[in-house]
Amino acid sequence: MSDNSIKIFTGNSHPELAKLVARRIGIDLAKAVVMKYSNQETSVTIGESVRDEDVFIIQSGCGEINDNLMELLVMINACKTASARRITAVIPCFPYARQDKKDKSRAPITAKLTANMLTVAGADHVITMDLHASQIQGFFNIPVDNLYCEPSMIKYIRTQIPNWTNAIIVSPDAGGAKRATAIADRLNLDFALIHKERKKANEVSRMVLVGDVRDKIAILVDDMADTCGTLGLAAKTLKENGAIQVYAIVAHGILSGKAIQVINDSVIEKLVVSNTIPHEDKMAICPKLDIIDISPTLAEAIRRTHNGESVSYLFSHVPE
Amino acid sequence: MRNLVVFGGSSHPELTDLICRRLGISAGKTKLQKFSNNETSVELNESVRERDVYIIQSGCGHVNDNLIELLIMVNACKIASAKRITCVIPYFPYSRQADVPYKASGAPLARLPPATPQGEPPQQNTEDLSQQLLKKLTLAAAGQETNKEKAPYREWVARSGTLIADLLTCAGADHIITMDLHDAQFQGFFDCPVDNLRSLPLMIKYIRHQIPNYENAVIVSPDAGGAKRATSIAEKLCMDFALIHKERRQVRSEKAELILVGDVRGKDCILVDDIADTSFTITKAAALLRKKGALKIYALVTHAILSAGAIENIERSTIDEMAVSNSVVSQNQRITSKKIKVFDVAPIFSEAIRRIHFGESLSMLFDPNHAIV
């Protein structure tokens, strides 16, 4: 019986991350050509045999999300019909994760639809990072590994933020309180919370700080930064309440629309995001942007999944 | 028709309007946009509880965006307790995948993209046997597998037909209506009923009314795959038939010879095809027909995707008049060529929707003698 090997494929959403992951594992990326036909349909050509191999497809939900999602589905399906032994979809930023409940009449639960589509296309396993709601794991009938950016964030705070022992962890909204308290506990720091107060409907809500940030370095922690409206306002509130400096650490930096302008104009000292989403073009125009590399975590997860070892180590440690 | 709701996706709002007008209802209110991070946002502003829902979305324009939008709309209706959800997809996306990838300009890629490994021809081993053995031993010691690389691997091109069928079913569609599927066998990929409507009656009506002296014309199929389609038209109108065939020799050269099977000297020709994408097939066929002595050349195409410079191709070609259906919005939005005329397929779809809603037979839609005004 022959040993099967790891084959890593990537779509067009984040090829740099895939290269970093492959380099850490010590293999080359598997050959595949993913492009579009002239009528805009996606075309996938797999250039290596995947028969009885352990296939990992790295594709993030960013940029042209629908195109990247279709690329991922077609690649999974192609590997399935090419007799791969097991197909794992590695999705650092899970698409449509925010549409996970029916909050209005006739609202679709697109996250459930995405989970169904991945399963139907033929995925056997999903590895993702910092899901917006960890309950999304329950949308799948196949195993899902929800890795955490938290150890990397903690390492960044300890090594890159000067005088971090005088910091305070702040959550920019009530929903993220649990995430922020977990980090505050690990670092033995204080915790504060910003709460949007709505007096009446249609009245401009103001942000209320719960906790004391005077003469401290405030570190805002959140899972996603999209238009950055919330982050900008939160930073202003913190500065008004006496914080010395404001940092923001975010797992997925989507940064769409006017986000970069908002960050550049705001009082935020540095915005730190992970590289689940590509940022080369944004680094050029935003001097406040800093990147945490999470490819070691993904690479280690892939290696341990392939070898059948436990992944629990990654929930509290950053692989060196 | 109280229990009927028709929603239109953002791929072809004009066709949705035409279909709803013929049905005598107004289209269901929706708000279809994109969030700032490019995710699709779907809001349905009408109740669908226990109603018969039809969602009209064609596979044109930005295909992946429209496909995901369709899937999300189907899913939204399903969890809002719709009684039955039917997807009306005039041009079914991913039903045909070209055998050779095409560049954006429309020309076929002569060579495979560089990332695919080129198989090396087996080397002639002229070395001494002992030297070969030594080589093999050193390679084995270095731990390299040479056995796997011996046979050149042919690339695996993904064919997404089954995947799209599975996605639609898992999103919650109960019924599919489409028109002139490229492969009639596609219906078998689904577990739910698929109605593959025919544009044949409309084409026959167009020929009878718009092409003068059609009895003396010849129906021509631009490739061998479409022969069956062309012969069925020729039979119904009692016309002659011809076929254009691409001869591929064993040696792979870029020029494939086109051969005309049949006689078109001194006659008008009517080319019939289901899809015109880059329009290379149909314009090359028209050039051959002109060379072989045809007088006027017409072309009838059901789905005119017309991507990447196809309209300029058609303007320059020997085609005199081209009639296409409005099942898709051409990629270049307004068709500015005077040669291209559009015939309306909304009557067929609205009639199908009406009959399916009331549970009546659809057979008359396939009968060209029955006029659908």
Side-chain angles (χ1 to χ4, degrees), chain B residues 125-143:
Chain B
N125 255 331
T126 48
E127 290 172 322
D128 185 19
L129 186 63
S130 57
Q131 281 198 330
Q132 285 184 43
L133 193 58
L134 195 64
K135 230 196 235 175
K136 278 216 173 110
L137 284 173
T138 28
L139 281 174

Side-chain angles (χ1 to χ4, degrees), chain A residues 46-261:
Chain A
I46 307 226
E48 288 187 17
S49 171
V50 294
R51 189 176 288 271
D52 208 39
E53 306 278 13
D54 203 0
V55 173
F56 292 84
I57 303 176
I58 301 182
Q59 182 84 320
S60 199
C62 56
E64 282 289 334
I65 293 190
N66 294 333
D67 278 339
N68 291 333
L69 184 58
M70 276 308 293
E71 274 178 17
L72 174 62
L73 292 170
V74 176
M75 285 175 84
I76 293 176
N77 195 249
C79 292
K80 173 142 173 246
T81 50
S83 315
R85 188 192 278 195
R86 176 175 63 180
I87 303 167
T88 304
V90 181
I91 311 173
C93 182
F94 195 82
Y96 294 101
R98 280 175 284 180
Q99 298 175 41
D100 58 353
K101 49 186 175 296
K102 202 169 150 186
D103 49 1
K104 296 194 285 208
S105 303
R106 297 172 291 278
I109 306 181
T110 317
K112 171 74 174 150
L113 174 64
T114 314
N116 280 348
M117 294 203 287
L118 285 167
T119 315
V120 146
D124 301 302
H125 191 116
V126 173
I127 297 180
T128 179
M129 187 160 244
D130 267 313
L131 273 173
H132 182 63
S134 54
Q135 287 82 354
I136 294 181
Q137 294 176 64
F139 287 168
F140 290 87
N141 278 331
I142 54 177
V144 178
D145 284 319
N146 183 19
L147 303 171
Y148 293 109
C149 205
E150 187 188 304
S152 311
M153 288 181 178
I154 290 178
K155 182 174 160 193
Y156 183 92
I157 295 177
R158 282 207 180 111
T159 54
Q160 305 277 359
I161 295 186
N163 207 15
W164 63 271
T165 37
N166 190 26
I168 179 167
I169 306 286
V170 186
S171 167
D173 56 31
K178 205 159 159 207
R179 191 180 304 115
T181 46
I183 296 188
D185 285 342
R186 292 285 303 278
L187 290 168
N188 252 332
L189 294 173
D190 284 333
F191 165 73
L193 169 64
I194 293 190
H195 162 58
K196 244 191 259 210
E197 195 184 64
R198 285 181 218 278
K199 286 260 175 68
K200 282 196 298 226
N202 290 334
E203 196 173 272
V204 174
S205 58
R206 53 194 197 100
M207 304 195 103
V208 176
L209 175 65
V210 178
D212 189 11
V213 297
R214 267 172 312 192
D215 300 324
K216 290 207 170 165
I217 301 173
I219 305 179
L220 282 161
V221 171
D222 206 354
D223 67 333
M224 279 190 193
D226 194 356
T227 46
C228 294
T230 317
L231 274 182
L233 278 175
K236 199 163 90 142
T237 313
L238 287 168
K239 260 294 171 72
E240 279 167 9
N241 275 297
I244 322 174
Q245 284 179 327
V246 181
Y247 288 82
I249 304 188
V250 166
H252 303 297
I254 303 168
L255 303 176
S256 64
K258 295 204 177 64
I260 299 288
Q261 206 181 321

Side-chain angles (χ1 to χ4, degrees), chain B residues 197-198 201 347-348 350-352 354-355 360-373:
Chain B
L197 302 174
R198 299 237 155 272
I348 292 199
S350 56
E351 194 57 25
R354 207 182 59 79
R355 281 164 178 260
E360 298 165 24
S361 160
L362 281 182
S363 312
M364 52 72 74
L365 286 176
F366 301 101
D367 178 9
N369 293 326
H370 199 115
I372 307 170
V373 175

Side-chain angles (χ1 to χ4, degrees), chain B residues 212-274:
Chain B
N213 201 18
Y214 71 90
E215 300 90 351
N216 289 332
V218 180
I219 302 277
V220 185
S221 167
D223 55 31
K228 207 157 158 210
R229 187 181 313 116
T231 44
S232 50
I233 296 188
E235 263 172 57
K236 296 234 162 65
L237 290 170
C238 299
M239 290 163 65
D240 285 332
F241 167 72
L243 168 63
I244 294 184
H245 170 54
K246 216 185 288 196
E247 190 189 32
R248 285 187 210 276
R249 297 169 199 269
Q250 279 301 91
V251 174
R252 277 213 158 208
S253 61
E254 276 172 45
K255 293 205 179 86
E257 277 268 342
L258 284 180
I259 297 182
L260 175 67
V261 178
D263 188 11
V264 297
R265 274 171 308 189
K267 295 209 168 159
D268 290 340
C269 289
I270 306 177
L271 281 160
V272 174
D273 204 357
D274 59 343

Side-chain angles (χ1 to χ4, degrees), chain A residues 41 46 66-67 96 106 256, chain B residues 36 40 44 64-65 94 156:
Chain A
E41 289 180 6
I46 307 226
N66 294 333
D67 278 339
Y96 294 101
R106 297 172 291 278
S256 64
Chain B
S36 77
T40 305
L44 303 174
N64 293 336
D65 273 344
Y94 291 93
W156 183 276

